Amino acid sequence: MSLLVVGSVAIDNIETPQARRDNLLGGSATHFSYAASFFTQVHLVSVVGGDWPAEHTEFLRRRGIDVSGIQVIPDGKSFRWTGRYEKNMNDRETLDIELDVFGRFQPTLSEAFRRTPYVFLGNAAPITQLAALNQVTGPKLAVADTMELWIQTTHADLLRLFRQIDGLVCNDSEAKMLADTENLVLAGHRVRAMGPKFVVIKKGEHGAMFFSEYETYVLPAYPTERVIDPTGAGDSFAGGMMGYLAEQDNWDPETLKTAMAYGILTASFNVEGFGLERMREITRQEIEDRLDEYRKMLSF
Amino acid sequence: MSLLVVGSVAIDNIETPQARRDNLLGGSATHFSYAASFFTQVHLVSVVGGDWPAEHTEFLRRRGIDVSGIQVIPDGKSFRWTGRYEKNMNDRETLDIELDVFGRFQPTLSEAFRRTPYVFLGNAAPITQLAALNQVTGPKLAVADTMELWIQTTHADLLRLFRQIDGLVCNDSEAKMLADTENLVLAGHRVRAMGPKFVVIKKGEHGAMFFSEYETYVLPAYPTERVIDPTGAGDSFAGGMMGYLAEQDNWDPETLKTAMAYGILTASFNVEGFGLERMREITRQEIEDRLDEYRKMLSF
């Protein structure tokens, strides 16, 4: 089944303790789409300005991602992000952020896109996420991401969104903030009670947790020592997870857990290079090989 | 097979955001011994002062732990620790520490203890750990713990210890400090290269990692929302792990991985009450039930 993602594509400048790279193809919907494209057909809905390099769109198109939903605003400027990672490669500082056209993003879905069965609402204002979701006709699965900014500034909209989605993917600090507790297990249960049928909490280098009415579990991250650039790791996780669910056309508990594992492993490749550099080197088979290794790691 | 532990027994005063408890039976060798006693016969070697409450020793004796190696120095004072946990229940501040008799601890092993096949050297000055280890005759497995203080102040002694032990158990910040890197996977490999045949890195609420020449893996913590008092979690982990290895009389790779899981689950009970309160409520069967649940959690 096909998968729709609505979210940002961007131009990233990234500095790590080891290196600096400018003008990388980035954005959460970009990392999501590339990760999901190992598993299924992806329709990407986003917005860019007249300055957007045509080769970025072409790169995604050649990858088989449907880029027809990327709207170009000729007199606008594309979303740009500049960030620097601390020595621990987890904490990062945003040095510069220019939302530009993405700040005024009003997604309009084509007739064909409205019937996509699997939907992912990338990080954006909840009102924008709701506007996109409301255009989709009876999706089989709708999952959203969010961030601290929206928890703090548009809490009521976010709660409205939560009641309309099947799943929420967020990171540990967001879950703690939403639930007002430092205990992540408690946070997961509390956020689920706000509406989503399931909640996935991303813990970066420590893996991810899953919460539904009947299940609570944790899966660890794949232990890679080659952490080059963590940008987009969470988006690749969501892309691998949603891509696998769309491929299987199922989100029963067993499929969801396997999807979590695919998300974790897809993300483990994403961090092994700047931007999408490592992702473009690998094939589905390499994800499968790492999954076999991961299953062995977790069995005793 | 029996298991020898050399380390601290103490009186703890613990404050959490929810409660405060004074005069608890604590100390790393105490938590270790109690956890290990679910699996095997434990011989505890430690030192206390004349102020030590007889009921603490009696409690351990009734549990079946061999307390004959607890030396009493009548005119000395027992080790006391007062700590306060932050809201996140991970970070803690030591408000007061009185090492007293433990600061001058010179372990002397009885003839019988010297032949114990499984040995754990709890956190103490490396010179003290070495003094204990050198009294043991050809142990089948010797594992040590350490802490930041010794990494900073007695580095050469520590490296000498590393070359004489089979395994090292330490926490994430200690491994990073030892290896001078923020990448835990790299840290694990580097510390192993310093001498131990295997290294276990404890990550608190995020589980534990294992490193040997041929294997690297991570197991997540058991997701409990009932975190009452994390004191001794790392020691219970080591106790559960070593207890199981001693019971199996084997530390091949497969047994080691299962032992890691037992360590994680034993520790998950330890944090569910102040001091040993939760531990004394449970039986081996409850650890086994949680292990079944944990195995299911990790299979997909």
Side-chain angles (χ1 to χ4, degrees):
Chain A
M1 291 284 141
S2 63
L3 171 60
L4 179 73
V5 55
V6 182
S8 65
V9 299
I11 296 168
D12 287 350
N13 301 315
I14 296 165
E15 197 179 319
T16 70
Q18 278 72 44
R20 179 179 168 117
R21 301 293 279 277
D22 290 326
N23 297 312
L24 292 167
L25 169 56
S28 74
T30 304
H31 283 279
F32 179 96
S33 297
Y34 201 97
S37 70
F38 287 99
F39 303 92
T40 197
Q41 169 68 56
V42 181
H43 307 297
L44 169 54
V45 172
S46 193
V47 64
V48 296
D51 59 340
W52 182 254
E55 76 244 35
H56 284 345
T57 307
E58 183 54 22
F59 167 73
L60 295 171
R61 199 193 58 71
R62 278 202 315 272
R63 173 68 188 174
I65 295 164
D66 175 359
V67 293
S68 66
I70 302 183
Q71 193 191 344
V72 183
I73 298 184
D75 58 349
K77 281 179 69 187
S78 302
F79 179 13
R80 284 171 191 267
W81 179 75
T82 302
R84 180 168 57 204
Y85 286 88
E86 304 291 322
K87 217 175 124 195
N88 67 13
M89 294 299 270
N90 272 321
D91 301 320
R92 72 182 184 193
E93 192 186 350
T94 290
L95 299 176
D96 190 36
I97 185 160
E98 300 166 46
L99 282 176
D100 289 294
V101 294
F102 191 69
R104 304 181 296 277
F105 183 35
Q106 292 189 319
T108 308
L109 309 188
S110 69
E111 205 48 54
F113 281 13
R114 288 169 193 237
R115 293 188 304 268
T116 319
Y118 288 79
V119 177
F120 187 76
L121 306 165
N123 170 35
I127 198 89
T128 309
Q129 292 175 306
L130 278 163
L133 183 58
N134 290 336
Q135 295 173 53
V136 184
T137 316
K140 286 191 174 180
L141 174 65
V143 175
D145 193 357
T146 192
M147 70 183 284
E148 292 184 7
L149 177 63
W150 315 120
I151 301 170
Q152 290 164 326
T153 61
T154 60
H155 202 254
D157 291 343
L158 199 58
L159 292 180
R160 207 147 57 82
L161 174 72
F162 285 177
R163 290 189 291 271
Q164 296 188 41
I165 54 177
D166 301 297
L168 176 73
V169 174
C170 63
N171 71 31
D172 42 6
S173 61
E174 291 153 5
K176 287 176 182 175
M177 184 182 282
L178 272 165
D180 193 25
T181 172
E182 291 285 327
N183 182 311
L184 266 188
V185 183
L186 193 55
H189 291 304
R190 283 192 189 164
V191 175
R192 198 191 54 75
M194 295 175 188
K197 293 181 191 71
F198 66 84
V199 172
V200 173
I201 300 180
K202 298 173 289 181
K203 303 197 297 171
E205 65 165 326
H206 301 302
M209 304 182 85
F210 179 89
F211 301 87
S212 68
E213 190 177 351
Y214 303 107
E215 280 193 308
T216 299
Y217 56 77
V218 194
L219 292 174
Y222 176 85
T224 179
E225 64 183 279
R226 194 174 151 191
V227 181
I228 305 298
D229 171 19
T231 311
D235 307 309
S236 306
F237 166 83
M241 183 186 96
M242 289 295 292
Y244 180 75
L245 293 173
E247 180 191 46
Q248 300 298 312
D249 189 19
N250 190 342
W251 54 285
D252 65 18
E254 194 51 37
T255 312
L256 266 168
K257 198 192 274 186
T258 309
M260 288 268 292
Y262 273 106
I264 283 169
L265 298 173
T266 310
S268 77
F269 284 107
N270 187 84
V271 304
E272 293 180 349
F274 271 101
L276 291 167
E277 282 173 4
R278 178 71 175 127
M279 295 295 271
R280 57 194 298 180
E281 287 174 5
I282 63 161
T283 63
R284 171 76 179 255
Q285 190 54 49
E286 276 159 287
I287 299 176
E288 296 299 334
D289 291 348
R290 198 169 273 193
L291 183 77
D292 288 344
E293 208 186 314
Y294 185 68
R295 272 189 214 271
K296 278 193 203 95
M297 178 179 110
L298 297 179
S299 67
F300 53 87
Chain B
M1 290 285 138
S2 64
L3 172 60
L4 178 74
V5 54
V6 182
S8 64
V9 299
I11 296 168
D12 287 351
N13 301 315
I14 296 167
E15 196 179 319
T16 70
Q18 277 72 44
R20 178 179 170 116
R21 301 293 279 277
D22 289 326
N23 297 312
L24 292 166
L25 168 57
S28 75
T30 303
H31 283 280
F32 178 96
S33 296
Y34 202 96
S37 69
F38 287 99
F39 303 93
T40 197
Q41 170 67 57
V42 181
H43 307 296
L44 170 53
V45 173
S46 193
V47 64
V48 296
D51 59 341
W52 183 253
E55 76 243 37
H56 285 344
T57 307
E58 182 54 19
F59 167 72
L60 296 171
R61 199 193 55 72
R62 277 203 314 273
R63 173 68 189 174
I65 295 164
D66 175 1
V67 293
S68 66
I70 302 182
Q71 192 191 345
V72 183
I73 299 185
D75 57 348
K77 282 179 68 189
S78 303
F79 178 14
R80 285 173 189 264
W81 179 76
T82 302
R84 180 169 57 203
Y85 287 88
E86 304 291 322
K87 217 174 125 195
N88 67 15
M89 295 298 272
N90 272 322
D91 301 320
R92 71 182 184 193
E93 192 186 348
T94 290
L95 299 176
D96 190 38
I97 186 162
E98 299 165 45
L99 281 176
D100 289 293
V101 294
F102 191 70
R104 303 181 296 277
F105 183 34
Q106 292 189 321
T108 308
L109 309 187
S110 69
E111 204 48 54
F113 281 13
R114 290 168 193 238
R115 292 188 304 269
T116 318
Y118 288 79
V119 176
F120 187 76
L121 306 165
N123 170 35
I127 199 88
T128 308
Q129 293 174 307
L130 278 163
L133 183 59
N134 289 336
Q135 295 173 53
V136 184
T137 315
K140 286 191 174 182
L141 174 65
V143 175
D145 192 357
T146 190
M147 67 182 288
E148 293 185 6
L149 177 66
W150 314 121
I151 300 171
Q152 289 164 327
T153 61
T154 58
H155 203 256
D157 290 343
L158 199 58
L159 292 180
R160 205 148 58 83
L161 174 72
F162 285 177
R163 290 189 291 270
Q164 294 188 43
I165 54 179
D166 300 298
L168 177 73
V169 173
C170 63
N171 71 32
D172 41 8
S173 60
E174 291 153 5
K176 287 175 181 178
M177 184 183 281
L178 272 165
D180 193 24
T181 172
E182 290 287 328
N183 183 311
L184 266 188
V185 182
L186 192 57
H189 291 304
R190 282 192 188 162
V191 175
R192 198 191 54 75
M194 294 173 189
K197 294 183 191 71
F198 66 85
V199 172
V200 174
I201 301 180
K202 299 174 288 182
K203 303 198 297 171
E205 63 165 328
H206 301 301
M209 306 181 85
F210 179 90
F211 300 86
S212 68
E213 189 176 352
Y214 303 107
E215 280 193 309
T216 299
Y217 55 79
V218 193
L219 290 175
Y222 175 85
T224 179
E225 61 183 278
R226 194 174 151 190
V227 181
I228 305 297
D229 171 19
T231 311
D235 307 308
S236 307
F237 166 84
M241 183 186 97
M242 289 296 291
Y244 180 75
L245 294 173
E247 181 192 45
Q248 299 299 311
D249 189 19
N250 188 344
W251 54 285
D252 65 20
E254 194 51 35
T255 312
L256 266 168
K257 199 193 274 187
T258 309
M260 288 269 290
Y262 273 106
I264 283 169
L265 298 173
T266 310
S268 77
F269 284 107
N270 186 85
V271 304
E272 293 180 348
F274 271 100
L276 290 168
E277 282 173 4
R278 178 68 175 129
M279 295 295 272
R280 57 194 295 180
E281 286 175 4
I282 64 162
T283 62
R284 171 76 179 257
Q285 190 53 49
E286 275 158 288
I287 300 175
E288 297 298 334
D289 291 347
R290 198 168 272 191
L291 184 76
D292 287 345
E293 209 187 313
Y294 185 70
R295 271 191 215 271
K296 278 193 202 96
M297 178 180 111
L298 296 180
S299 68
F300 54 85

